[in-house]
Amino acid sequence: MAIALNTIGQNIFEIGAFDAKTYFSELLRRVQAGAVINISKNGKPVAVLQSKQNSQNQTALNAHQRILARSKKFSSMLNSSGVAPVTAQELMELKNDGRKY
């Protein structure tokens, strides 16, 4: 019996929980090769199987996108002389944006 993977995108697949259990070794081989496997139960997504490196890359990409967004926000505040007329409160918000504590 062949593994029943639905293709969602390039190298992104979806599989039911029962089939994921049955073909776990094959799924691990695919993940090692760079695939991302979304696991669903009763049609609802419950887990994502991906390599640790892929997860770290996504975390770094998300952080990079947040930094770019803050940079663009700050750049839009600059006036023609290159000085940002911002209040202390706005500076604190920019500083604390993305912090957990």
Side-chain angles (χ1 to χ4, degrees):
M1 183 172 177
I3 189 169
L5 285 174
N6 297 324
T7 304
I8 295 176
Q10 183 180 4
N11 226 16
I12 301 175
F13 304 95
E14 185 175 59
I15 190 169
F18 182 81
D19 286 337
K21 173 187 67 95
T22 305
Y23 298 106
F24 189 68
S25 296
E26 172 62 23
L27 296 178
L28 286 180
R29 280 191 285 280
R30 289 177 184 240
V31 166
Q32 281 181 319
V36 176
I37 312 287
N38 295 326
I39 302 172
S40 61
K41 187 169 187 174
N42 297 326
K44 297 179 182 176
V46 293
V48 176
L49 188 60
Q50 65 182 5
S51 71
K52 183 177 179 183
Q53 184 63 40
N54 191 1
S55 175
Q56 290 170 343
N57 289 348
Q58 189 61 44
T59 302
L61 181 61
N62 291 341
H64 177 71
Q65 289 171 341
R66 286 193 312 272
I67 290 168
L68 282 177
R70 284 193 299 269
S71 174
K72 287 178 183 175
K73 180 179 177 182
F74 189 73
S75 294
S76 70
M77 294 177 176
L78 295 176
N79 61 20
S80 60
S81 64
V83 178
V86 295
T87 64
Q89 178 65 28
E90 290 172 328
L91 283 175
M92 289 301 290
E93 287 174 9
L94 284 169
K95 180 181 110 178
N96 292 326
D97 187 29
R99 290 187 174 182
K100 291 182 182 179
Y101 307 103

